[in-house]
Amino acid sequence: MRKINEIFHSLQGEGRHAGCPSVFVRFSGCNKRCKFCDTDHESGTSMTDEEIVRAVNLYKGDWIVLTGGEPALWIDSDFVRLLKRATGKRVAIETNGSLPVPSEIDWVTVSPKSGFEGAGEYELKVSHADELKVVDLGQPLEGYFELPCVGSDTLMYLQPCHVDDEEESIANRLRTVGRVMSDPRWTLSLQIHRFLDIP
C-alpha cells in the first residue's frame, strides 16, 4: 500500500517538459517541511499498486510524474517497472534528492532544499539529475553547479518562489529574472499551471 495524496491529469508546469500532458501521482508525506510547500502531508488515501495503475490509465499523455511530498519515500524499482509496463508511459520523478531513486525512472528532477527553512542541511543521495530545479529564495547559487548529481548534460532551472502576497510574488519573479539574465547557465522555470489556473 502506498499513501497517495491525489492522482490527476494536467500539463507539466515546470522545467524541461513544461506544457506536456502528464499524469501526476502525488504522494503524501515528506522527510522535509519546507515553508513554501503546497502539499497537505496529512491527507491521503492508501492505495494498492493495481489501484494506482487503474487511476493512471484513465488519462492520456506520455508521462507519469511522481511527486509529493517526497515520492522517494514510497517507491521502488518494482513499482516503477509495473507503472511502465502496465501504462506504456514514461516515468519522471520530482525529488528533493535526499533519498536514492530507482534507476528505472526515465527523467529525474532534483529540487534541492538543503538549508531552506524547515528542511535543514542534508546530503544529496541522487547520483544523477536530468534537471536541477532550484527555488530562488535569494540564496547563493554557485554551489548548485558543484553538486554530485549535476553533470555536463544536466539542465539548470531557477524558479521564483510562489507566495500568496501578490507584491512579494512579483518581486520574487523580477529577482529571479534578473539572476537568470546575469548568469545564462540558468534557464527560467515558471509554474505555468498557476498562471493558467489549472491543477
Side-chain angles (χ1 to χ4, degrees):
M1 303 292 284
R2 306 178 199 271
K3 190 175 181 183
I4 303 297
N5 183 280
E6 59 180 336
I7 297 175
F8 63 97
H9 189 220
S10 188
L11 299 178
Q12 172 60 272
E14 305 168 359
R16 171 65 180 82
H17 297 116
C20 293
S22 303
V23 183
F24 292 82
V25 179
R26 184 184 298 279
F27 291 84
S28 293
C30 188
N31 55 354
K32 308 297 174 190
R33 286 295 182 268
C34 300
K35 183 179 178 181
F36 52 81
C37 184
D38 58 1
T39 298
D40 179 2
H41 295 291
E42 304 308 316
S43 67
T45 303
S46 292
M47 298 178 68
T48 66
D49 292 354
E50 291 72 22
E51 289 171 330
I52 294 170
V53 165
R54 284 198 296 272
V56 168
N57 274 331
L58 294 175
Y59 305 111
K60 295 180 179 179
D62 292 333
W63 285 99
I64 301 168
V65 180
L66 307 178
T67 185
E70 177 47 57
L73 289 167
W74 292 97
I75 66 170
D76 54 25
S77 292
D78 288 343
F79 177 68
V80 175
R81 285 194 293 264
L82 172 65
L83 281 180
K84 295 171 74 167
R85 183 176 66 250
T87 68
K89 302 179 189 298
R90 291 177 286 178
V91 176
I93 189 170
E94 297 178 356
T95 175
N96 62 33
S98 62
L99 298 166
V101 299
S103 61
E104 292 83 1
I105 289 178
D106 299 293
W107 188 266
V108 177
T109 300
V110 175
S111 184
K113 305 299 193 303
S114 184
F116 289 2
E117 183 178 349
E121 297 292 341
Y122 62 92
E123 179 183 352
L124 288 182
K125 299 295 180 64
V126 174
S127 60
H128 166 77
D130 294 292
E131 62 183 9
L132 201 77
K133 183 185 69 180
V134 175
V135 178
D136 180 12
L137 299 177
Q139 73 272 35
L141 298 176
E142 193 62 34
Y144 290 109
F145 293 93
E146 300 168 3
L147 294 175
C149 64
V150 171
S152 60
D153 59 344
T154 302
L155 304 175
M156 303 293 286
Y157 288 96
L158 193 61
Q159 182 167 292
C161 182
H162 172 80
V163 293
D164 291 332
D165 182 271
E166 184 61 22
E167 287 188 11
E168 185 180 353
S169 189
I170 290 171
N172 286 350
R173 293 198 297 268
L174 290 175
R175 179 187 64 223
T176 304
V177 168
R179 299 184 92 179
V180 171
M181 293 291 288
S182 67
D183 187 347
R185 292 177 299 173
W186 293 101
T187 297
L188 181 68
S189 174
L190 292 176
Q191 294 178 300
I192 61 172
H193 51 287
R194 293 190 185 278
F195 292 93
L196 296 173
D197 195 25
I198 59 176

